[in-house]
Amino acid sequence: MTINNENKNNGETASSAESSINLEASRRNFIFGSVAAAGLTVAPGMMLYQTANARSLSDFSLKDGASSKVRWGMLVNTTKEVDWNKCVEACNKEHGLGNEKDSRDDQKTQYIRVVDVKNKGTGYSMSLPVMCQHCENAPCVDVCPTGASMKRADGIVLVDRHRCIGCRYCMMACPYKARSFVHEVLTDQTENTPRGKGCVESCNMCVSRIDNGQEPACVEASEGAIIFGDLNDPETPIAKILAKHGGKQIRADLKLNPGVHYQGI
Amino acid sequence: MGLALIAGFSTANANQDGLGPKITLPENSEGKSCLFPSEQMRREHPDMLKHDRIQTLREGVRAQADGKVLDGSLKQCVNCHAIKDASNKFVRIDNEQHFCASCHKYAAVSIDCFQCHRDIPEGSGDFHALTNHKDVNYSNVAPGTYSLTTEDMANIAPEVISDDN
Ligand code: SF4
Ligand code: SF4
């Protein structure tokens, strides 16, 4: 470990720039390698399961950090009969949410919520889970006065609570209502999701799980209805499905290019 | 200010001469050191933490190489330095026995870290059901042996989920 002073620390992508291409390739593959090997075929509406490979340190180095060669994304298949509340539960459990004692229900933190929509004309109704869409051109990052709301090199948008001053500008800027503000002192946070009073927070795509070679908690709980992967690598299942069958982004007209795609909306 | 104070008594072994803070060290820490010698840790740990938080959160660097795996986040510090009281329970930051508090209280330097971060190990060894840390042997994570072995890391890696449904 080296100790840098604050000036040196400003080069935020310095370490990812140094990372070697080989390592990046294996970083992309380690999650999906065995899926490709199993020759999984996919069609619309089919079960979209994927396998997470056990990672060995030799093919994935934690020291290289997030790389801009990767763009993590998710694909939600809303045509599947899934209880989306399971995803919400898994998310709450993973991040230790719901430990507010004094907040009103509408003040409590939500990283992912289930939205029910109904066409009044035809009576058709459906539900979809909505979390932070991890926009490429994220308005929440644009407006943040402190640089707390940030996009990691691999496309994950998250709040650096060390810098957040709780102004909530980002909450107003987000068109997806994805962010929450913590109104009270919290105790017993989870190890991987430190969170506390006075900061804004939102879905971070389970960044510590991803860095650990795991899928996000909602993906794991979704029984295959949400798949996760690198949108930049045409060989990943998510990129293949999107290339073949397409997907939709919510409010694509805003041209924010979210990393979360949907089928069946 | 706080730093200068801490540096001032950095060579004192915990309360050796009755002056200075009584720093509580974890069990079995005799003869072991942290990442760097104590003098250096006492003087420089704020810079190290600041450096690590930028690397870990903003850059996604989760471990250092040098043959050892070190999670650069504060949880690794807490997991090693957690102190148990007489009833074998981990003490919280508001207790003078807590490793960080034992010095910070004396030096009157308040720290905000634990408003968000955990001040004791998660589940005190048991991890909640959604994480796969269950089989990891954390007993070797004592000061001076701060690294998880490659074996431990393999245990942290996800179980293979069957795709044949
Ligand atoms: S969905 Fe909202 S919080 Fe997430 S990146 Fe887009 S603007 Fe930011
Ligand atoms: S609330 Fe925090 S993250 Fe959001 S804009 Fe303000 S400082 Fe940035």
Side-chain angles (χ1 to χ4, degrees):
Chain A
M1 178 190 290
T2 53
I3 305 150
N4 282 3
N5 60 27
E6 182 72 335
N7 293 340
K8 284 187 199 152
N9 287 340
N10 285 343
E12 271 154 20
T13 49
S15 72
S16 48
E18 287 160 14
S19 50
S20 81
I21 291 163
N22 276 346
L23 283 168
E24 289 318 318
S26 52
R27 178 177 183 137
R28 280 201 307 273
N29 290 339
F30 81 91
I31 288 180
F32 301 107
S34 71
V35 176
L40 181 76
T41 53
V42 279
M46 270 186 65
M47 309 276 258
L48 305 170
Y49 282 93
Q50 56 192 337
T51 305
N53 264 345
R55 181 187 59 190
S56 76
L57 279 171
S58 53
D59 62 357
F60 174 58
S61 173
L62 290 146
K63 79 181 212 303
D64 289 319
S67 159
S68 56
K69 296 190 185 77
V70 177
R71 168 108 201 262
W72 295 122
M74 294 197 263
L75 175 61
V76 184
N77 189 343
T78 61
T79 60
K80 292 198 63 168
E81 298 282 327
V82 196
D83 182 3
W84 297 115
N85 289 313
K86 278 193 193 155
C87 300
V88 178
E89 275 165 33
C91 176
N92 291 352
K93 196 166 180 188
E94 170 66 26
H95 298 286
L97 307 183
N99 54 352
E100 297 96 336
K101 292 189 183 72
D102 301 321
S103 302
R104 296 193 312 264
D105 274 354
D106 61 341
Q107 291 175 323
K108 287 183 181 166
T109 287
Q110 227 176 12
Y111 286 2
I112 176 172
R113 65 192 195 280
V114 183
V115 175
D116 299 314
V117 286
K118 188 172 184 182
N119 183 325
K120 281 187 184 143
T122 60
Y124 174 75
S125 68
M126 63 172 295
S127 304
L128 66 157
V130 179
M131 64 295 267
C132 168
Q133 305 288 296
H134 298 278
C135 313
E136 185 187 351
N137 313 308
C140 61
V141 176
D142 281 352
V143 300
C144 179
T146 65
S149 184
M150 56 162 284
K151 187 160 63 101
R152 243 171 54 146
D154 53 7
I156 297 175
V157 176
L158 70 168
V159 177
D160 181 351
R161 292 170 179 82
H162 303 118
R163 300 190 184 182
C164 177
I165 54 172
C167 69
R168 289 166 260 186
Y169 204 168
C170 56
M171 288 178 73
M172 284 183 273
C174 172
Y176 302 98
K177 255 187 145 177
R179 293 208 154 173
S180 307
F181 179 75
V182 180
H183 290 258
E184 59 178 273
V185 174
L186 300 178
T187 52
D188 279 326
Q189 292 89 333
T190 62
E191 191 176 70
N192 288 327
T193 311
R195 45 191 293 269
K197 182 182 176 181
C199 289
V200 161
E201 54 183 358
S202 56
C203 155
N204 59 11
M205 230 193 246
C206 289
V207 68
S208 52
R209 287 173 67 98
I210 293 177
D211 287 347
N212 201 20
Q214 292 170 283
E215 299 178 318
C218 62
V219 174
E220 209 171 85
S222 71
E223 297 165 19
I226 309 178
I227 61 170
F228 160 81
D230 179 10
L231 301 169
N232 278 353
D233 180 356
E235 294 308 312
T236 55
I238 185 169
K240 281 184 179 161
I241 296 164
L242 281 170
K244 194 159 181 219
H245 306 289
K248 276 187 191 162
Q249 295 159 321
I250 303 178
R251 289 299 308 270
D253 56 314
L254 295 172
K255 298 199 167 58
L256 305 178
N257 190 16
V260 181
H261 296 251
Y262 290 81
Q263 284 180 327
I265 61 166
Chain B
M1 272 304 274
L3 267 184
L5 265 174
I6 297 168
F9 45 72
S10 62
T11 47
N13 248 335
N15 209 22
Q16 200 181 42
D17 45 9
L19 297 171
K22 185 166 169 21
I23 300 173
T24 20
L25 291 168
E27 286 169 45
N28 313 322
S29 62
E30 201 74 14
K32 292 178 180 166
S33 78
C34 195
L35 295 171
F36 296 103
S38 300
E39 289 74 26
Q40 204 179 342
M41 289 308 298
R42 283 174 198 163
R43 205 174 296 118
E44 294 173 1
H45 71 277
D47 295 319
M48 293 175 188
L49 287 170
K50 206 165 183 182
H51 173 69
D52 276 5
R53 82 186 192 190
I54 289 168
Q55 283 213 323
T56 312
L57 197 157
R58 301 187 76 92
E59 296 171 9
V61 180
R62 293 289 181 171
Q64 306 286 328
D66 73 348
K68 288 173 176 172
V69 179
L70 167 68
D71 195 318
S73 55
L74 192 59
K75 69 184 176 197
Q76 182 92 47
C77 310
V78 169
N79 285 347
C80 280
H81 281 281
I83 308 280
K84 284 182 175 166
D85 65 9
S87 58
N88 212 25
K89 280 217 168 96
F90 287 111
V91 296
R92 312 300 301 247
I93 185 70
D94 53 7
N95 186 316
E96 282 187 3
Q97 296 290 305
H98 189 280
F99 174 76
C100 305
S102 64
C103 190
H104 273 268
K105 279 220 158 122
Y106 176 88
V109 180
S110 50
I111 40 172
D112 295 334
C113 314
F114 300 109
Q115 288 179 10
C116 288
H117 286 277
R118 286 189 70 86
D119 51 355
I120 56 171
E122 187 166 276
S124 304
D126 294 314
F127 293 86
H128 64 69
L130 271 169
T131 62
N132 268 323
H133 297 232
K134 285 183 292 269
D135 302 325
V136 178
N137 174 16
Y138 276 91
S139 57
N140 70 348
V141 187
T145 59
Y146 57 85
S147 62
L148 297 178
T149 61
T150 340
E151 224 168 71
D152 289 334
M153 286 308 288
N155 281 334
I156 291 176
E159 289 153 21
V160 175
I161 303 155
S162 160
D163 61 352
D164 53 10
N165 301 281

